[in-house]
Amino acid sequence: MLPLLWLIPILPFAGFMVLGLLGRRLPPNAVAAIGVGSIGLSALFSALVTAAFLVHPPAGQVFTQTLWTWFQVGEFAPGISFYLDALSLIMVLVVVFVSLLIHLYSVGYLRGEEGYGRFFAYMNLFVGSMLTLVLADNLVLLYLGWEGVGLCSYLLIGFWYKDPANGRAARKAFIVTRIGDAAFAVGLFLLFSRLGTLHIQDLMQRAAQHWPVGSGVAVAASALLLGGAVGKSAQLPLQTWLPDAMAGPTPVSALIHAATMVTAGVYLIARTHVLFSLAPPVQFAVAIIGAATLLLAGFSGLTQRDIKRVLAYSTISQIGYMFLALGVGAWSAAIFHLLSHAFFKALLFLAAGVVIHALHNEHDLFRMGGLRKDLPLTFWVFLVGALGLSGLPPADGFSSKGLILTETWSSPLGGPGMWLAALFGAFLTSIYTFRLLFLAFYGPRQQPVVHHPGLVEKMPLVALALLTILAAGLNWPASWGGVAIITSFLQTALPTPPVPSGHVHGGEVWLEVVAVGVALLGIPIAWLLTVGAPVAVRARLNAPAVSAVRRFWLAGWAFDWLYDRVFVWPLVWLARMDQGDFVDLFYRGLAGLAGWLNRILSWTQTGRVRWYAASVALGALVILALVIFL
């Protein structure tokens, strides 16, 4: 079954081609069948390939498949080649199965919308690009998938393009991520110029052989790759695009945040971990960026009114946890949190979509309330997702976030300082998550429910809720009687964690108890800040100083304000100044000078022969004078 690997990314591309060419002519049921069916077939072949990989493992736990040589320039001949190991297999399963559930949900959610076929075409292209990215065996093909998901994010965020705000959000996402993509591209040139290859495994081997730890070239190359990862994964300082990406339909938000796009940066760092291990300053920067991002996004999440923007900031924060884990060398913990985050974040976004539809496209949390009785299934699955996001049992976030906290404490690259930052981030996460839950589902009803989800929308919610709970057992803490299945599986593709997860230390249980206790503490605080807020608490929240801080966090720490004044406004000013083509002034001046000289010389063309003869004689005299006297 392993030779069928190529069908996994090809089928979504085939669905895109059919829908792109015929989508407008096909009835909605046919569009849905092709859009969902192509991803369903890809999921089927993913399951078959996974079974073959586990039952009859290939030599070295790696399977490589080359379809053809893409292009050849001298000895440089990147291929359309796929590389399957433990890491890429987990990524494929996450991408394809979460995407399948989101596609299925979209059938009902977007039924009747203009551009139904166009939507599924874009979604299929998105999934195909992400699968290409995670399966690529060379950085050129990976970069193709990388740019593909960037293009699709633009198309899908601006799907409702008739609203100018949606177009601005799409352009913002495209432009901000281009900054990181440019750094990534320069990094590829640097790697090829120094090591002569962009085949990922050969690249890692040559880097380890030729570059000592701390090498300047390794630091530069890793920093450039980090720039690309920061842009795609919405980490500091390029995180500003993701909250505005909520302009797209809710299934798009779920796909970008859960299974594609923002996880690409995490995968890139994990896949090129050898380079980062050779560049300790850059790996430390990964940890610092992750810790800072998870805190800043956590504070912003506390103040948001839009239900989807709360979840957007939570994504930025949770990706920050993954970056922190990568930075301290907890490679498998980062990938496990990526997996668990995909389940509970897709669940939360799709449940939020049900709430938005139920209230006639209402996004404001303060205009919701009391929905647990009208939408009981949505409430319970949202609660499961909230437990996962907060890191509370029995959801998978308890296992994955707890593993990151434990290994951050234990790692020689981490320590108590970073652990405290991650722990405080978990506290903030619990507060803003349950603040969202209480505002939407508790308290007095603000609006009547005008739409109830259909079966096609309910099934993905139930499936994701079950996955959120079941996935916790894949790396259940050893101190609680669990087995580290994911960590053990990833040992063939990623370095062993600083402290093996299966080894019980005296303080490990206490670290996990503290993490759960901090998350539990956030629940009553969220209640006091929302439904059960006494008059004294409300008065303090509305104090001028507190209100100013809230506005600052609501605006995302004013990063947009800063970037507007430092980058956007000067560029706009230059563009307006150059409306008359400032650069062309020099050339227009030359043309004007030539015309002026032409008019002067034309005065000599009078048609009078004696004047011409006199001019020739005068010229001859001038030449003789120059010869005699000079």
Side-chain angles (χ1 to χ4, degrees), residues 93-136:
L93 293 175
V94 168
V95 171
V96 76
F97 281 100
V98 173
S99 298
L100 174 61
L101 293 173
I102 294 172
H103 274 69
L104 183 61
Y105 175 92
S106 302
V107 171
Y109 190 85
L110 286 164
R111 175 73 70 172
E113 289 282 351
E114 183 181 357
Y116 195 63
R118 177 167 56 90
F119 174 81
F120 278 102
Y122 292 165
M123 292 281 277
N124 280 16
L125 180 61
F126 208 162
V127 176
S129 298
M130 189 66 189
L131 289 170
T132 301
L133 188 158
V134 300
L135 283 172

Side-chain angles (χ1 to χ4, degrees), residues 151-219:
L151 170 64
C152 294
S153 69
Y154 169 77
L155 296 172
L156 286 166
I157 293 169
F159 177 73
W160 289 316
Y161 59 87
K162 293 182 180 179
D163 185 344
N166 296 338
R168 286 193 297 270
R171 290 193 299 273
K172 182 178 181 181
F174 192 78
I175 292 169
V176 172
T177 55
R178 285 321 89 186
I179 299 170
D181 295 353
F184 186 12
V186 174
L188 298 187
F189 284 112
L190 177 61
L191 287 169
F192 181 74
S193 66
R194 295 306 180 96
L195 297 176
T197 183
L198 288 177
H199 183 277
I200 296 174
Q201 302 309 313
D202 291 345
L203 193 68
M204 298 303 106
Q205 292 176 3
R206 295 184 189 184
Q209 293 171 358
H210 295 93
W211 294 344
V213 175
S215 164
V217 181
V219 168

Side-chain angles (χ1 to χ4, degrees), residues 67-89:
L67 301 182
W68 66 83
T69 298
W70 186 359
F71 61 87
Q72 184 167 359
V73 180
E75 296 182 358
F76 180 53
I80 304 297
S81 303
F82 302 125
Y83 182 86
L84 188 69
D85 65 352
L87 175 58
S88 55
L89 180 60

